[in-house]
């Protein structure tokens, strides 16, 4: 009943020689993407249990504007993309792409960037980043670089606890009008769980994120906007037992700060951080 095309993908029972309907699905995301038409609101449905490897920057590429990629299944049954090389990356190269309920799994040490957001108005919603075994990690989970109007929302990122490797969960560089909302990041992030560096990101919204950074080799920062980002950080919860100070867990750049709480000890309540009170 949907007006545009709906393509199905299933690595367990599919073939890229099929026609891509629910009963005869494609085998790979790229197989379905090659049949999609830009800006026609096509949907690619990945069945529960679907699995693919990410070996380089061309293995998984979303390059048709306006296409939605939706995963079915929950937990480890969600469609899983396993990184088998440090240069592997999931590329979002077309505007108005929507990604939902995919699982990204590092199976090697020091994957440079798990996902590159390289086009405007991209939304990444309800996805999970995790690691396969001790020593596996993403240096950067998601990198939003020189594009505007991206949204990273309702995602979960897990780095190894108190184990050096991961640097940044979500990174922004020259990325304006971006929203980073409702995400949970836990583990050891040596730079920061959420970070903006390079050049300023203007009119950004960092809100309702829950962060536990247990890095031992840094000041244990949750959100670091090391360039002059503008707009708002609001209702974020920042924690970490290794933090040298509570206030160090938020560097708001040039943002306005509303109800951000931080805590660095068990059995203690959080305190408001992020600038002095308005008058």
């Amino acid at each position: 009943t949907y007006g545009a095309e709906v393509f199905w993908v299933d690595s367990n029972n599919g073939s890229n020689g099929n026609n891509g309907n629910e009963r005869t699905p494609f085998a790979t995301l790229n197989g379905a993407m090659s049949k999609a038409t830009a800006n026609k609101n096509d949907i690619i449905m990945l069945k529960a249990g679907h699995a693919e490897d990410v070996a380089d920057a061309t293995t998984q590429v979303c390059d048709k504007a306006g296409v939605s990629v939706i995963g079915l299944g929950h937990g480890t049954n969600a469609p899983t993309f396993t990184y088998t090389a440090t240069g592997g990356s999931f590329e979002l190269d077309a505007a108005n792409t929507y990604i939902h309920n995919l699982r990204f799994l590092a199976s090697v040490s020091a994957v440079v960037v798990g996902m590159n957001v390289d086009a405007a108005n991209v939304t990444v919603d309800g996805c999970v980043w995790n690691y396969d075994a001790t020593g596996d990690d993403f240096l950067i989970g998601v990198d939003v670089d020189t594009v505007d109007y991206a949204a990273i929302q309702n995602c979960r990122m897990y780095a190894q606890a108190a184990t050096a490797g991961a640097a940044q969960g979500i990174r922004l560089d020259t990325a304006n009008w971006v929203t980073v909302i409702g995400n949970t990041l836990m583990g050891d992030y040596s730079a920061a769980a959420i970070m903006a560096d390079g050049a300023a990101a203007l009119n950004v919204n960092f809100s309702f994120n829950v962060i536990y950074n247990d890095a031992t080799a840094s000041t244990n920062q949750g959100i670091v906007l090391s360039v002059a980002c503008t707009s708002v950080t609001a209702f974020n919860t920042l924690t970490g037992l290794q933090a040298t100070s509570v206030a160090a867990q938020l560097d708001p750049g040039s943002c306005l700060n509303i109800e951000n709480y931080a805590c660095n000890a068990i059995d203690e309540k959080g305190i408001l951080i992020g600038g002095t009170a308005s008058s």
Side-chain angles (χ1 to χ4, degrees):
T1 59
Y2 185 65
E5 296 287 347
V6 179
F7 300 106
W8 289 82
V9 180
D10 182 6
S11 61
N12 297 300
N13 299 295
S15 167
N16 286 344
N18 287 343
N19 63 11
N21 67 27
E22 196 275 336
R23 292 184 179 273
T24 56
F26 294 122
T28 66
L29 172 59
N30 279 349
M33 191 66 66
S34 69
K35 302 297 183 181
T37 302
N39 296 311
K40 295 295 185 181
N41 299 315
D42 288 351
I43 296 174
I44 297 174
M45 302 289 294
L46 305 184
K47 290 192 175 186
H50 176 76
E52 293 191 54
D53 288 344
V54 186
D56 52 39
T58 63
T59 305
Q60 306 296 340
V61 180
C62 297
D63 57 0
K64 299 288 182 66
V67 172
S68 297
V69 180
I70 298 175
L72 301 178
H74 302 284
T76 57
N77 288 326
T80 298
F81 292 84
T82 299
Y83 292 70
T84 59
T86 59
S89 63
F90 195 97
E91 297 287 316
L92 304 183
D93 291 347
N96 306 311
T97 297
Y98 175 75
I99 303 292
H100 176 69
N101 192 40
L102 304 186
R103 181 171 175 257
F104 304 100
L105 187 68
S107 192
V108 293
S109 175
V111 176
V112 178
V113 179
M115 176 181 287
N116 277 305
V117 178
D118 295 325
N121 293 289
V122 165
T123 298
V124 180
D125 176 44
C127 293
V128 176
W129 281 256
N130 210 333
Y131 59 93
D132 190 18
T134 301
D136 299 335
D137 46 57
F138 295 100
L139 297 180
I140 299 174
V142 179
D143 192 15
V144 184
D145 195 338
T146 322
V147 295
D148 297 338
Y149 298 103
I152 312 298
Q153 60 193 36
N154 306 316
C155 294
R156 289 173 289 152
M157 293 189 177
Y158 303 107
Q160 295 185 69
T163 302
Q168 304 160 12
I170 301 170
R171 175 183 180 267
L172 274 59
D173 181 355
T174 324
N176 305 319
W177 304 100
V178 173
T179 57
V180 180
I181 297 179
N183 304 289
T184 297
L185 298 94
M186 305 184 75
D188 186 324
Y189 294 96
S190 61
I194 298 173
M195 189 167 193
D197 59 9
L202 306 178
N203 301 300
V204 294
N205 180 357
F206 300 93
S207 298
F208 296 101
N209 299 290
V210 176
I211 296 170
Y212 175 76
N213 185 359
D214 67 354
T216 58
S218 71
T219 55
N220 202 313
Q221 293 159 315
I223 298 176
V224 176
L225 311 181
S226 57
V227 289
C229 294
T230 64
S231 196
V232 62
T233 65
F235 306 105
N236 297 290
T237 303
L238 312 172
T239 62
L241 296 178
Q242 308 298 329
T244 54
S245 71
V246 176
Q249 296 185 67
L250 173 63
D251 178 353
S254 296
C255 286
L256 287 80
N257 305 287
I258 300 172
E259 295 283 340
N260 297 293
Y261 282 88
C263 177
N264 67 344
I266 61 172
D267 298 328
E268 293 185 358
K269 63 182 179 181
I271 62 170
L272 284 170
I273 61 171
T276 57
S278 297
S279 59

